[in-house]
Amino acid sequence: MPEQQRTLIADRRVQDDDWVLLEEGAERPAEARVIVPVAEWLDAPGENAAPLLASDTELTPELAGQLLEAPLIAIDFPKFTDGRGYSMARLLRERYGYTGQIRAVGDVLIDQLFYMSRCGFNAFLLREDQIVEDALNALDTFSLSYQPGTDTEEPLFRRRMREARREQAVA
């Protein structure tokens, strides 16, 4: 049975979700775009199917190479305390060069969105009890980040050093 419709934030705005998140072994609806467990996706990839990575998925170079063809990649957070999805998203972006949508699904809370976005997530399927306006605001929790991320390659101290050198050169 398909999961209940939840709010999707993609690219920092609320969007209609034209993908159906299916549980393992669920029957695929005809003509629907579906997100299925990665093993099912590997058996039948295509533009109307996308993989769901469980938090314990081993992201091997071989699997990552196959995932590059996916229209989107969903990563499951079975509990908000399970942070393995952060690492998978960062590896997909930085090591393997995935440029499509990486969607956080499962126990996704608004206080995690800023950090998820720094690791490479650009879509979030919110838990039912989360407030959309608060979620959108949470994406801008901090104006600067000290450490590098998928959104900023340089740490803050290097950016500041570069700016200081420019100011000295102008003076």
Side-chain angles (χ1 to χ4, degrees), residues 94-164:
E94 293 179 341
R95 184 176 294 172
Y96 300 113
Y98 185 74
T99 58
Q101 184 183 104
I102 299 180
R103 181 183 294 198
V105 302
D107 200 10
V108 179
L109 305 176
I110 62 172
D111 56 345
Q112 299 170 303
L113 300 188
F114 176 79
Y115 304 105
M116 287 178 168
S117 69
R118 301 236 41 239
C119 290
F121 287 95
N122 58 348
F124 313 92
L125 192 59
L126 298 178
R127 203 170 77 178
E128 294 89 357
D129 62 342
Q130 302 299 284
I131 300 169
V132 175
E133 294 77 19
D134 292 344
L136 291 168
N137 289 333
L139 289 167
D140 296 317
T141 298
F142 301 103
S143 59
L144 291 173
S145 297
Y146 290 111
Q147 61 282 92
T150 61
D151 57 347
T152 307
E153 294 182 11
E154 284 185 304
L156 182 60
F157 78 90
R158 285 205 178 118
R159 291 180 294 207
R160 287 190 171 164
M161 285 175 47
R162 186 178 61 250
E163 290 169 11

Side-chain angles (χ1 to χ4, degrees), residues 14-50:
V14 176
Q15 296 186 7
D16 290 333
D17 189 4
D18 58 347
W19 290 86
V20 178
L21 181 60
L22 297 179
E23 296 174 5
E24 188 172 344
E27 188 175 326
R28 290 186 183 191
E31 303 298 318
R33 299 176 84 186
V34 294
I35 300 171
V36 296
V38 68
E40 291 180 34
W41 179 79
L42 288 169
D43 288 340
E47 61 185 52
N48 285 331

